[in-house]
Amino acid sequence: LINFLHRAKEAKSLALLEHSNLFVDSYTEYYSAASNFLVMGGFPLLSKPAIDFFSKNLELMQHLSDVKDEDLQLVDVLNALFFVPIQQLQEYARLLLKLATCFEVSSPEYQRLHDSSCCYESLTTLLGKRKKEA
């Protein structure tokens, strides 16, 4: 992104666009694994030593997962932590849309940024639906 802002100013040079299939596939695989983990019982089924470890580091887990509510159970904090990458996906979509506004609507750069933003946003929506189903 810094390279884009300081040098090239070509949308095709952004890794999020150039390798969008890789990003989408990686998020989909990660999310499938995380959802399957939850469906199979998730964190409550972890062994006592693992739960003890996470309990001792609850404050760190809350910080990493951006959980503001300190009254949440450890399991809820860990679930939130596992789904932080999906929140990042939505941020990528917003960033691409903001970058698109820097170009003429008829330009290929605008179209590519807008299309990629829509792709990431629709993936976020799809993965959110899957999370509710899990």
Side-chain angles (χ1 to χ4, degrees), residues 27 65-66 80 83-92 94:
Y27 272 98
S65 63
D66 290 332
F83 291 99
V84 166
I86 304 307
Q87 295 167 352
Q88 293 299 320
L89 186 62
Q90 193 169 29
E91 292 299 317
Y92 294 153
R94 288 184 190 132

Side-chain angles (χ1 to χ4, degrees), residues 92-110:
Y92 294 153
R94 288 184 190 132
L95 173 68
L96 292 173
L97 197 55
K98 285 180 183 178
L99 284 174
T101 62
C102 298
F103 295 95
E104 294 285 329
V105 175
S106 60
S107 72
E109 289 86 3
Y110 175 88

Side-chain angles (χ1 to χ4, degrees), residues 46-56 74 78:
L46 289 178
S47 65
K48 181 163 175 28
I51 293 294
D52 289 344
F53 171 79
F54 287 126
S55 294
K56 290 176 186 171
L74 174 64
L78 292 172

